[in-house]
Amino acid sequence: MIQGETIAAIATAIVPQQGSVGIVRLSGVTAVAIAQTLFHAPGQQAWESHRILYGYVLHPETQATVDEALLLLMQSPRSYTREDVVEFHCHGGIMAVQQVLQLCIAQGARLATPGEFTLRAFLNGRLDLTQAEGIADLVGAQSPQAAQAAMAGIRGKLTDVIRHCRSRCLDVLAEVEARIDFADDLPPLDQGEVKAQLGAILADVTQVLDTAHQGELLRTGLKVAIVGQPNVGKSSLLNAWSRSDRAIVTALPGTTRDVVESQLVVGGIPVQVLDTAGIRDATDQVEQMGIERSQSAAQAADVVLLTMDASVGWTQAETDLYATIRHKPHIIVVNKLDLGPPVALPDLSVPLVKTAAAQGEGIDALEQAILTIVNAGQVTAANTELAVNQRQAAALTRAHVALRQVQSTIAALLPLDFWTIDLRDAIRALGEVTGEEMTESMLDEIFSRFCIGK
């Protein structure tokens, strides 16, 4: 990436013939000059920063009108990238924004790479790395809690914690190195105080690191598979839960031939519910393929809902199926209570929910049972205020290991030089979280996951 270049991209999702507004964004030293070449603002409108101009995008050679638009000018450093930024607010759809983008490129702008606007904001000191990743998380948030955690990152809550830990590590390192370099001029190192500081830093790092699973859960959601024998009401359960007719429901067993998905939010957590084909011995090749997919979905799920027919009771088939999913977090759903009295069940000491899916009964209890599993730590979801991602967790894990190693080094009465090795490793790892210690290849990898135009 060459920061002196002016970049351009479509900054809004484009839906053919449906979008009301489409935005073309430019950032760089020639952004304003390109806008002045392409945009005609009638009357006496002032080209000033943070003002909206009304006018027309004109082809610079033919003077043909490309679009009636608004122009927003944000001059450096009061912009997202801390460079001159211009936005053309065009009519939505495909043609208008594509034509404006092509005119910008013809005037010397370069098409932005994924995440390049945010990368420039990071390189220019507008954001640190955790804030930049928070922006990507906010764009991709699938629930209010995920958005809340992303906003915490954007506001710098994670940054504040990590920088405070890193600053304290630097203080300890400075004290240790001072004793190495000026041993005769300084009083002996207070090892008790150093141990206390390291313990406090390690506790803070551990607390943040414990949110890693929570962060993954908020970003990717919880995968829940509904499994069971044919005709136990799995599709009715999905329809009642999602309040839609996603799955075909008939009295014939084996109706569901493939995995049917529905996206829900339970207790603020995105949930992908998978209605699977009934698992039984089947001779029909298509049904057998559906059963194989059901088994794969059950193994890949975070939580399995083993559904049974209350009017039939627990059979050998349920026992066999239970043996294949018992190693995963699971709930037994006793469905079709409206068809008869509850039946006796084996004492499995697992969560059990009674439902009448066709009547829409028992769904609240089912959601609560899932949240109970989540909050019990089987699938972690506790603190939505702060949640680190996988990259941040990897760096924090290295910092955690290094800090523990410093403690071991002190306990082993090794020389001070050995202390500094692991302290520097911890400082380096904490710096990777906020972006203070990063390589160009690492930045490219992180920002390649952003959308173009952000």
Side-chain angles (χ1 to χ4, degrees):
M1 185 195 79
I2 302 175
Q3 283 189 266
E5 296 179 323
T6 296
I7 57 174
I10 298 172
T12 48
I14 302 301
V15 182
Q17 301 178 349
Q18 294 184 29
S20 59
V21 177
I23 297 176
V24 177
R25 176 180 293 158
L26 294 92
S27 179
V29 292
T30 61
V32 176
I34 291 173
Q36 291 173 332
T37 301
L38 299 179
F39 193 80
H40 171 64
Q44 301 298 316
Q45 301 179 67
W47 284 69
E48 298 176 353
S49 184
H50 294 80
R51 288 179 64 97
I52 295 178
L53 304 179
Y54 161 78
Y56 303 90
V57 180
L58 305 179
H59 193 289
E61 297 178 2
T62 67
Q63 294 301 298
T65 300
V66 176
D67 193 17
E68 181 183 24
L70 299 176
L71 184 81
L72 176 58
L73 170 63
M74 294 166 282
Q75 291 182 303
S76 171
R78 296 173 57 213
S79 71
Y80 181 65
T81 62
R82 281 193 175 166
E83 301 173 336
D84 287 346
V85 172
V86 171
E87 291 182 351
F88 293 90
H89 291 236
C90 311
H91 286 92
I94 292 179
M95 292 311 302
V97 289
Q98 286 285 4
Q99 289 184 81
V100 172
L101 177 62
Q102 290 305 317
L103 288 177
C104 292
I105 292 174
Q107 292 300 308
R110 170 176 62 77
L111 187 64
T113 58
E116 190 169 356
F117 288 93
T118 305
L119 175 58
R120 290 190 175 202
F122 166 72
L123 294 175
N124 292 328
R126 169 72 170 72
L127 305 167
D128 75 7
L129 199 52
T130 64
Q131 292 173 309
E133 290 176 304
I135 289 171
D137 289 339
L138 183 60
V139 171
Q142 301 179 53
S143 71
Q145 277 72 9
Q148 177 186 348
M151 281 304 304
I154 294 172
R155 292 197 303 268
K157 290 197 172 184
L158 178 59
T159 299
D160 292 343
V161 175
I162 300 304
R163 283 186 172 166
H164 186 51
C165 290
R166 190 168 185 266
S167 176
R168 287 183 290 171
C169 284
L170 286 168
D171 289 342
V172 174
L173 179 63
E175 289 290 330
V176 173
E177 289 186 330
R179 268 46 180 207
I180 295 173
D181 296 334
F182 308 104
D184 296 335
D185 302 323
L186 295 173
L189 186 67
D190 186 343
Q191 291 196 16
E193 176 62 23
V194 171
K195 290 178 182 179
Q197 290 186 49
L198 290 174
I201 297 168
L202 189 59
D204 287 345
V205 170
T206 301
Q207 185 176 12
V208 176
L209 188 55
D210 285 344
T211 70
H213 197 171
Q214 161 69 3
E216 187 67 15
L217 186 61
L218 290 175
R219 292 177 183 90
T220 64
L222 188 69
K223 186 176 291 186
V224 177
I226 305 174
V227 303
Q229 299 300 306
N231 211 31
V232 297
K234 299 185 299 298
S235 296
S236 296
L237 184 62
L238 173 66
N239 289 343
W241 197 358
S242 62
R243 296 176 177 83
S244 67
D245 295 329
R246 295 298 304 273
I248 298 174
V249 178
T250 73
L252 298 175
T255 302
T256 302
R257 297 298 185 94
D258 204 348
V259 176
V260 180
E261 299 182 9
S262 187
Q263 302 293 332
L264 305 172
V265 176
V266 176
I269 301 170
V271 175
Q272 179 186 19
V273 184
L274 308 175
D275 172 28
T276 65
I279 299 177
R280 64 175 179 178
D281 292 331
T283 56
D284 182 279
Q285 184 177 2
V286 176
E287 184 179 358
Q288 182 57 43
M289 291 175 63
I291 292 171
E292 291 174 358
R293 293 187 180 185
S294 298
Q295 293 168 334
S296 298
Q299 296 305 314
D302 299 305
V303 178
V304 177
L305 307 182
L306 175 53
T307 307
M308 59 170 288
D309 186 340
S311 64
V312 174
W314 185 275
T315 68
Q316 183 60 42
E318 274 75 31
T319 299
D320 295 340
L321 184 53
Y322 179 75
T324 67
I325 59 95
R326 62 184 302 172
H327 65 287
K328 303 185 70 67
H330 57 273
I331 298 169
I332 294 179
V333 180
V334 183
N335 193 30
K336 298 189 178 183
L337 283 178
D338 51 319
L339 299 184
V343 297
L345 293 170
D347 183 13
L348 299 174
S349 299
V350 299
L352 185 146
V353 174
K354 298 177 181 179
T355 63
Q359 312 302 320
E361 298 175 5
I363 302 303
D364 290 344
L366 177 60
E367 291 188 348
Q368 187 56 53
I370 291 173
L371 291 176
T372 298
I373 288 179
V374 167
N375 292 325
Q378 292 174 273
V379 185
T380 308
N383 176 18
T384 58
E385 182 64 17
L386 195 66
V388 299
N389 61 29
Q390 287 184 339
R391 183 199 69 82
Q392 295 161 355
L396 287 168
T397 299
R398 292 197 299 274
H400 189 276
V401 171
L403 290 168
R404 291 293 299 271
Q405 186 58 43
V406 177
Q407 290 180 326
S408 298
T409 299
I410 295 173
L413 303 178
L414 293 175
L416 296 180
D417 302 77
F418 288 86
W419 301 19
T420 64
I421 296 173
D422 296 308
L423 276 170
R424 289 196 183 96
D425 286 344
I427 292 166
R428 188 179 303 111
L430 292 171
E432 286 182 13
V433 177
T434 58
E436 294 165 282
E437 298 271 357
M438 293 295 290
T439 65
E440 185 173 345
S441 61
M442 293 168 71
L443 291 176
D444 289 342
E445 171 64 23
I446 292 168
F447 285 96
S448 67
R449 297 190 287 268
F450 282 59
C451 59
I452 294 175
K454 195 61 182 172

